[in-house]
Amino acid sequence: MILAWLILAALIWALGYAAACAAAPFARCRRCDGHGKTIKPNGRVRRWCRHCDATGLRLRWGRRLFNYLRRLYRDTAR
């Protein structure tokens, strides 16, 4: 019975995450916290974030997986 609840909870989580990836494929960059730059303690810009190319956004891993599977399907369908 507990296993059934865990499977149901995992399925609900997966569907919710898939909906979040479809609705908002980008999330805030973890390295710069969505600012696009790293900041020194005195408030000056240290450098622009290399991980997000100074946009402050990153592609969610679920959306990245979706894009990969879509490209894989498109290439095999030809």
Side-chain angles (χ1 to χ4, degrees), residues 72-78:
L72 189 65
Y73 175 74
R74 185 183 63 205
D75 291 341
T76 59
R78 289 183 186 177

Side-chain angles (χ1 to χ4, degrees), residues 38-54:
T38 56
I39 301 172
K40 292 181 180 180
N42 63 4
R44 300 178 89 187
V45 174
R46 179 177 292 164
R47 71 177 143 223
W48 300 106
C49 182
R50 292 183 219 144
H51 298 277
C52 63
D53 293 327

Side-chain angles (χ1 to χ4, degrees), residues 21-43:
C21 287
F26 293 99
R28 292 185 345 175
C29 177
R30 291 184 186 138
R31 189 61 66 109
C32 65
D33 200 31
H35 296 292
K37 57 193 169 199
T38 56
I39 301 172
K40 292 181 180 180
N42 63 4

Side-chain angles (χ1 to χ4, degrees), residues 2-32:
I2 293 175
L3 183 61
W5 281 108
L6 288 175
I7 292 172
L8 182 64
L11 184 63
I12 290 172
W13 177 83
L15 290 175
Y17 188 72
C21 287
F26 293 99
R28 292 185 345 175
C29 177
R30 291 184 186 138
R31 189 61 66 109
C32 65

Side-chain angles (χ1 to χ4, degrees), residues 46-65:
R46 179 177 292 164
R47 71 177 143 223
W48 300 106
C49 182
R50 292 183 219 144
H51 298 277
C52 63
D53 293 327
T55 62
L57 299 173
R58 65 174 175 84
L59 196 59
R60 294 179 190 266
W61 65 266
R63 185 60 185 217
R64 194 178 304 260
L65 177 66

